[in-house]
Amino acid sequence: MMYYDLIASLPRLPHFESAERVPITPLRLNQRLTRLHPAHAEQIHRARSQVTLRPSGIAERSEDALIQEHDHLLQTGTENALQDFLVFRMTQRIVVAALRRFRAGLEPWRDLQLWQASGLLFQIRKNWDVPFFKLQHLYPWVTQVSTFLRDGDAIGLERLLSNLNWHWLSRCSERSMFGFPAVMAFVFKWDMIQAWLACSDQGAKVRFTNLIDEVTHESQR
């Protein structure tokens, strides 16, 4: 299914590090997304908490709940591009979580059935005491992640992961410029910009602008 009108209605997104504001407010983005096929809209809605770097309510949600939701998404007719990105993000989350667990002096997860990560979890458990779990050749970014965790550099870690995801989504969008992957990429990139701005001095300005936009919109209805 192609979304020519929807894609044409969306503004160009600046790279998250150079963005001074989100170029479209949450309200207006949600209005545009009503043009999606209901199944596509539902897939994006449910996946957003899985792929964001700062999932809302993450502290209240258990690892099992997150993994079960991830697995359910992959088993319910999810579009291929979205499935691939979910796996890409889950791989990052598992590796980062494992590195944090190792640095804390903990043992690897015992419940193998919980983490449906194919050979990744087996590789981590098998090489728990080996630097980077011997994953640095498969995932070159693992050495940088380890350095950021060692230094307590949360912003550096978020920048690294955001860039990895940004480039992945850009390539995905270029392969289907007016299809579902392009819409998916726009939404997840928009989420990245918003998350990045939230930890910067621009965050308060963005929230204020969005609030004014929503109030203005309501007054015009």
Side-chain angles (χ1 to χ4, degrees), residues 4 9 19 29 75 106 131 134 161-162 170 172 178 180 187 191 197 201:
Y4 298 104
S9 74
L29 176 57
Q75 296 169 10
L106 301 174
K134 294 181 71 173
L161 297 178
S162 292
S170 294
C172 177
F178 293 97
F180 173 79
V187 173
D191 285 343
L197 290 172
D201 293 337

Side-chain angles (χ1 to χ4, degrees), residues 15 88 162-172 174 189 192:
H15 188 269
F88 183 73
S162 292
N163 270 308
L164 288 172
N165 296 321
W166 190 277
H167 293 313
W168 194 101
L169 290 167
S170 294
R171 292 192 299 270
C172 177
E174 289 167 1
K189 282 183 170 184
M192 272 188 273

Side-chain angles (χ1 to χ4, degrees), residues 172-213:
C172 177
S173 178
E174 289 167 1
R175 290 194 294 267
S176 180
M177 295 184 64
F178 293 97
F180 173 79
V183 180
M184 176 195 84
F186 184 95
V187 173
F188 296 154
K189 282 183 170 184
W190 185 93
D191 285 343
M192 272 188 273
I193 293 175
Q194 188 178 55
W196 186 258
L197 290 172
C199 68
S200 71
D201 293 337
Q202 293 290 334
K205 297 179 183 178
V206 171
R207 289 189 292 274
F208 179 76
T209 299
N210 291 345
L211 176 62
I212 293 299
D213 183 84

Side-chain angles (χ1 to χ4, degrees), residues 12-73:
R12 187 188 71 83
L13 290 178
H15 188 269
F16 68 91
E17 288 187 271
S18 61
E20 296 183 355
R21 61 181 180 83
V22 284
I24 181 172
T25 65
L27 176 68
R28 296 189 186 281
L29 176 57
N30 288 334
Q31 289 174 337
R32 302 292 193 277
L33 295 180
T34 59
R35 304 178 190 179
L36 281 170
H37 185 280
H40 286 167
E42 175 65 15
Q43 287 180 36
I44 288 179
H45 173 73
R46 293 184 55 224
R48 288 176 86 171
S49 66
Q50 288 286 327
V51 302
T52 183
L53 293 177
R54 296 177 179 178
S56 57
I58 187 72
E60 293 80 24
R61 301 172 68 191
S62 66
E63 288 177 344
D64 358 14
L66 287 170
I67 299 303
Q68 287 171 7
E69 183 177 341
H70 169 78
D71 290 343
H72 182 65
L73 274 168

Side-chain angles (χ1 to χ4, degrees), residues 77-96:
T78 305
E79 291 285 334
N80 290 338
L82 181 53
Q83 284 197 25
D84 290 344
F85 189 56
L86 284 168
V87 172
F88 183 73
R89 278 294 294 127
M90 187 56 68
T91 296
Q92 294 172 12
R93 293 175 74 169
I94 290 174
V95 171
V96 172

